[in-house]
Amino acid sequence: MSDWIRHAIWWQVYPLGFTGAERTALPAGDPAVPRLRQLEAWLPHLLELGCNGLALGPVFESGTHGYDTVDHFSVDRRLGTVDDLQHLIDACHDQGIRVLLDGVFNHVGRDHPRFRDVLAHGRSSPSAAWFHLEGDGPDGFGYRSFEGHGGLVALDHGNPEVVDHVVDVMTTWCDRGVDAWRLDAAYAVPPEFWRAVLPRVRERHPDLWVVGEVIHGDYAGHVERSGVDSVTQYELWKAVWSSLDDRNLFELAHALRRHGEFLRAFLPQTFVGNHDVTRLASRLTDPRHLPLAVALLCTVPGVPTVYYGDEWALRGVKEDREGGDDAVRPAFPPAPQAPEGEAAATEELHRRLIAVRRRHPWLAGATIAEPDALGNELLAFRLTDGDHTLAVVLNVGDEHEHVRLPRPGTREDGDGDVRGTDAHVAPHSYLLVRSA
């Protein structure tokens, strides 16, 4: 794989929500609605933030929320056509923006043609081997579903035809210009399956970057066994908001040590929000700590991702019910509008901190040193590549804090000042200090 991913900063969008699409598939015969074209108007916003990658949620034909795929080779008609997606990909590439697609390969929707054939012909269907049919059920047989959701039919990943299908899907869209894939629910798929799929795709697309959705467990082991390039860093995501809310920076320090261990094996995808979790601005109990979370996202090594709307401090709480994701997947206007108040300040914060990341591209693979200061409310740690050092100081307490750094430095960003090796950070603030 080439080195481009070390310079990538993704802006993630959930297209069905972003474009205000219908909740369910369009009736048969209805024409496609070219909503994906709306995203082209937002590419300047992506670039002005400092991002250079567009990470798309599900775009393939589905029945409802996009994760019940019925055709991996067609674009959901609520979003447009294959030509509309191709136009968006080309528009991104014309502006130097990489494109990531969301690959849902653990399961399909009940309306997928392969499963419909099984519904029509039962166990005698040639497609029966694509699924795990077991016992009895209302369809005349039972089947393995994804985490108990009957509308999501789990694929049999031991079937060579399923391997061939996923290779064909990924290669087809890479041929159309896709630069990266997110593998949905990768934790539920045998790692050996990806080992069978990915080398065949990379024969034609060696620069491809693949990140698997893995929520917890042995991250480095999963990367090694599966052959993916990265996984979603949920451990760090949880530690960021939890440590800030509890004023327990020992938790964050522990997660950073773990993160440093992962970095020896791969570059994790880092985030403080995505389409599956409560918005950061709603999760934090003290809004003064939102800048600290963004500072961490933009400085800690890995591949950072900004979830659309987080740059405006949008609120939204995910709930465990039907439609419970809607609040974190809102519709946006057809084109950007100038934000005001808190939204404008948060956007400027993102631009400033992403610019720090751009000025110091070495941060992507930096080493995380042991803390120079650690308490419930104060954490100071250094990021280094041997030639450069950036100190990150976080203060979630009510008083100004003083930290003595190992070497003199210069203030890079944040609320505080530096005099030689003495760093002073304001309450509920962060301070970034660079040194040669």
Side-chain angles (χ1 to χ4, degrees):
M1 192 184 73
S2 70
D3 207 41
W4 68 265
I5 195 61
R6 290 180 174 271
H7 302 274
I9 300 177
W10 299 102
W11 190 57
Q12 183 198 2
V13 171
Y14 177 76
L16 290 168
F18 184 95
T19 61
E22 295 85 352
R23 293 180 61 87
T24 58
L26 298 179
D30 279 16
V33 183
R35 290 189 172 98
L36 281 176
R37 300 289 179 119
Q38 296 178 24
L39 277 166
E40 296 181 30
W42 284 86
L43 298 183
H45 172 73
L46 178 159
L47 292 169
E48 288 164 6
L49 279 178
C51 299
N52 61 356
L54 176 63
L56 294 170
V59 295
F60 302 134
E61 193 74 67
S62 72
T64 55
H65 43 58
Y67 290 99
D68 50 347
T69 313
V70 299
D71 188 346
H72 289 99
F73 297 100
S74 296
V75 171
D76 196 305
R77 286 177 300 129
R78 292 171 287 174
L79 297 174
T81 64
V82 168
D83 286 342
D84 292 320
L85 179 55
Q86 186 68 64
H87 199 274
L88 175 59
I89 293 170
D90 292 343
C92 286
H93 288 171
D94 287 345
Q95 300 178 62
I97 299 169
R98 301 276 183 170
V99 178
L100 176 149
L101 291 188
D102 202 342
V104 187
F105 301 127
N106 175 68
H107 49 266
V108 296
R110 282 176 57 91
D111 285 332
H112 190 280
R114 289 284 183 175
F115 192 69
R116 288 183 65 86
D117 192 65
V118 177
L119 290 173
H121 301 99
R123 298 176 187 274
S124 63
S125 165
S127 298
W130 278 53
F131 309 100
H132 297 274
L133 304 185
E134 48 197 22
D136 299 319
D139 301 306
F141 54 85
Y143 59 88
R144 190 177 302 173
S145 63
F146 174 60
E147 297 183 350
H149 300 285
L152 305 178
V153 187
L155 291 164
D156 183 345
H157 298 95
N159 183 346
E161 291 184 24
V162 175
V163 173
D164 292 343
H165 172 71
V166 174
V167 169
D168 193 14
V169 172
M170 295 182 73
T171 303
T172 295
W173 289 104
C174 287
D175 288 346
R176 290 183 171 273
V178 169
D179 303 285
W181 285 88
R182 170 191 179 270
L183 303 178
D184 180 67
Y187 58 87
V189 177
E192 297 75 20
F193 177 78
W194 304 122
R195 274 288 176 191
V197 168
L198 296 179
R200 293 171 58 185
V201 181
R202 287 185 171 125
E203 286 178 3
R204 283 170 58 171
H205 299 281
D207 288 345
L208 178 67
W209 185 70
V210 179
V211 56
E213 182 194 16
V214 180
I215 298 175
H216 45 65
D218 181 5
Y219 287 170
H222 184 88
V223 169
E224 181 180 5
R225 293 191 301 273
S226 66
V228 299
D229 298 300
S230 180
V231 298
T232 49
Q233 227 299 31
Y234 270 92
E235 277 192 21
L236 185 60
W237 160 79
K238 193 270 182 184
V240 168
W241 61 261
S242 177
S243 63
L244 295 177
D245 278 356
D246 294 344
R247 297 197 189 188
N248 175 19
L249 296 183
F250 284 96
E251 178 185 3
L252 179 59
H254 174 74
L256 288 170
R257 289 188 187 98
R258 290 266 296 167
H259 190 69
E261 294 171 3
F262 299 146
L263 288 162
R264 300 188 188 108
F266 67 99
L267 290 183
Q269 184 188 31
T270 57
F271 58 96
V272 291
N274 65 29
H275 64 294
D276 280 330
V277 300
T278 291
R279 291 268 183 181
L280 178 66
S282 293
R283 181 73 77 173
L284 293 174
T285 56
D286 189 332
R288 293 175 294 181
H289 295 162
L290 189 145
L292 283 69
V294 179
L296 287 165
L297 174 67
C298 293
T299 57
V300 169
V303 183
T305 302
V306 177
Y307 184 52
Y308 83 99
D310 279 357
E311 71 270 31
W312 291 346
L314 287 191
R315 270 71 173 175
V317 176
K318 175 184 171 71
E319 299 178 6
D320 189 15
R321 59 173 178 81
E322 185 177 354
D325 295 312
D326 293 352
V328 299
R329 303 173 178 180
F332 264 34
Q337 301 172 357
E340 299 178 351
E342 180 189 34
T346 307
E347 181 178 312
E348 173 56 29
L349 170 75
H350 278 75
R351 290 187 185 190
R352 198 173 68 242
L353 284 167
I354 292 173
V356 171
R357 183 62 164 239
R358 289 276 171 239
R359 289 195 296 272
H360 303 287
W362 56 269
L363 285 170
T367 297
I368 304 175
E370 281 296 304
D372 295 308
L374 176 58
N376 286 335
E377 299 180 341
L378 178 69
L379 171 62
F381 65 95
R382 283 167 292 123
L383 305 165
T384 180
D385 71 345
D387 296 323
H388 311 87
T389 298
L390 184 72
V392 180
V393 186
L394 307 176
N395 179 11
V396 296
D398 298 323
E399 305 293 335
H400 282 77
E401 291 284 357
H402 163 258
V403 176
R404 186 175 295 277
L405 300 174
R407 62 178 69 179
T410 304
R411 177 185 175 278
E412 179 79 18
D413 197 83
D415 191 357
D417 63 84
V418 184
R419 298 175 185 177
T421 59
D422 292 323
H424 299 265
V425 61
H428 304 284
S429 299
Y430 70 91
L431 178 65
L432 306 182
V433 182
R434 73 177 184 275
S435 57

